[in-house]
Amino acid sequence: FSPYTIRYSKVYQNVEPNYYSYWPASFLLEVPFVTLFSDPRVLFVFADIGAAILLYILGNRSRNAELLSLVYLFRPNSLFIIEQSWLTPLAFFFAVLSFYLVSRKKINLSAIIWGLLVGLKPDYVLAIPFLWFLTEFDKKALFIFLSTIAIIVFPFLFLNPDKFITQSLLLYFLPFDKIPIPIHLSLNLNPL
């Protein structure tokens, strides 16, 4: 069973739902929420709330941290992003959680979280230098990070390499008018 070989229900007008553009961690993390609640968006609501709590904790529970957490929760387009099931809340939660774990000297657990982050979308691999710096160039953390990605991605890559590569990597290199997803809608302050 692979999310890269399924035909999905139509959400966007003039978009054929025969692709899954994310990496397998998104699918694997959503399965329990779809099973329990019949809706993956519950995961994104929990991720948003979790990120706000972590921001509050990282801000030493100060008045400014409280304000920052509330601004994060009530940012423009947040409900639209959750409604569309975009991974932004989950990705931000993982980034903040990883930073929190590093600040608590739980480097190996942080490396697993960064592996899950990259397991959502490959463009988060750009954060590797940041992780490498935060972990004080810990080789074991780098190994754990790469192992987490391998465990998540390789089974789906080997199951159907053509579909996986076409849908989760090459899709974004198509000419802008040929990309089957309305990616321009996600270009706003929230993903940043």
Side-chain angles (χ1 to χ4, degrees):
F1 179 71
S2 171
Y4 305 100
T5 58
I6 296 173
R7 185 170 200 77
Y8 297 93
S9 56
K10 197 164 188 152
V11 175
Y12 300 108
Q13 184 179 10
N14 301 326
V15 175
E16 196 59 39
N18 58 355
Y19 62 90
Y20 189 77
S21 59
Y22 299 122
W23 272 22
S26 62
F27 169 76
L28 296 172
L29 291 167
E30 289 173 4
V31 165
F33 291 88
V34 171
T35 303
L36 291 173
F37 304 106
S38 300
D39 196 337
R41 295 174 292 191
V42 174
L43 170 64
F44 305 130
V45 169
F46 286 147
D48 250 1
I49 294 168
I53 292 168
L54 286 171
L55 287 171
Y56 179 66
I57 292 169
L58 285 168
N60 294 321
R61 296 175 172 87
S62 67
R63 191 78 161 143
N64 287 339
E66 186 178 315
L67 182 62
L68 178 63
S69 295
L70 290 173
V71 167
Y72 173 75
L73 283 175
F74 298 103
R75 67 200 185 280
N77 282 345
S78 63
L79 294 178
F80 176 75
I81 286 174
I82 289 173
E83 179 200 10
Q84 299 298 311
S85 289
W86 290 340
L87 298 178
T88 307
L90 187 58
F92 185 72
F93 172 72
F94 282 154
V96 174
L97 178 59
S98 183
F99 183 75
Y100 172 78
L101 291 169
V102 166
S103 73
R104 300 292 186 251
K105 303 293 184 208
K106 296 183 180 189
I107 305 296
N108 295 338
L109 192 51
S110 178
I112 292 171
I113 299 300
W114 274 100
L116 288 172
L117 179 62
V118 174
L120 294 174
K121 289 178 72 179
D123 49 341
Y124 293 121
V125 78
L126 298 173
I128 289 176
F130 182 67
L131 167 68
W132 190 239
F133 174 76
L134 281 180
T135 61
E136 299 172 356
F137 311 104
D138 187 326
K139 290 179 183 175
K140 183 178 178 187
L142 184 63
F143 175 76
I144 291 170
F145 164 74
L146 293 172
S147 297
T148 302
I149 295 170
I151 289 168
I152 293 168
V153 172
F154 284 172
F156 293 93
L157 175 63
F158 293 133
L159 193 61
N160 196 332
D162 291 338
K163 286 258 190 196
F164 179 83
I165 292 169
T166 302
Q167 291 182 27
S168 68
L169 291 173
L170 299 181
L171 178 77
Y172 296 100
F173 294 103
L174 293 172
F176 192 71
D177 61 332
K178 302 285 187 213
I179 295 177
I181 52 180
I183 196 168
H184 62 283
L185 293 177
S186 69
L187 301 177
N188 58 49
L189 186 60
N190 290 297
L192 177 61

